[in-house]
Amino acid sequence: QLQASGGGLVQAGGSLRLSCAASGHAFSSYATGWFRQAPGKEREFVATISRSGSSTYYADSTKGRFTISRDNAENTGYLQMNSLKPEDTAVYYCAVATYTTTVDKQYFAWGQGTQVTVSS
């Protein structure tokens, strides 16, 4: 089970840190990904990180501004979001997969989502 948190309202240019807490002991066995869905739009890939944390991959729209990380000892994943823009406004979801992938259908467990709103 995954629990995403840390969303909120922030002004453009601000920062937020999302957390994804996983219950159970298998968190370190899976890659973690973040996706987002804005109103009226399809869910889109944001970032993914390998099981060990040694490999990361970002969407072009978030590269250089967002940083994905994980703490396997704490069974928690993170998404640090800097230089936020109004177009980053969406519900953000964390998920786990057997390997790093940008394809949402390959993630088998999802958190409930946390709202991020960036005002201009």
Side-chain angles (χ1 to χ4, degrees), residues 1-73:
Q1 185 174 1
L2 302 174
Q3 182 80 21
S5 62
L9 173 64
V10 64
Q11 288 189 333
S15 299
L16 282 173
R17 189 194 197 199
L18 305 184
S19 297
C20 177
S23 59
H25 301 285
F27 180 71
S28 61
S29 299
Y30 301 114
T32 303
W34 287 91
F35 291 77
R36 66 187 182 186
Q37 188 166 21
K41 295 187 177 182
E42 293 187 353
R43 185 165 58 192
E44 66 172 350
F45 167 76
V46 173
T48 185
I49 187 168
S50 62
R51 290 173 289 180
S52 66
S54 62
S55 178
T56 59
Y57 187 76
Y58 298 89
D60 287 343
S61 59
T62 63
K63 198 176 302 181
R65 300 187 299 122
F66 292 10
T67 302
I68 189 171
S69 62
R70 64 190 299 157
D71 184 339
N72 286 339

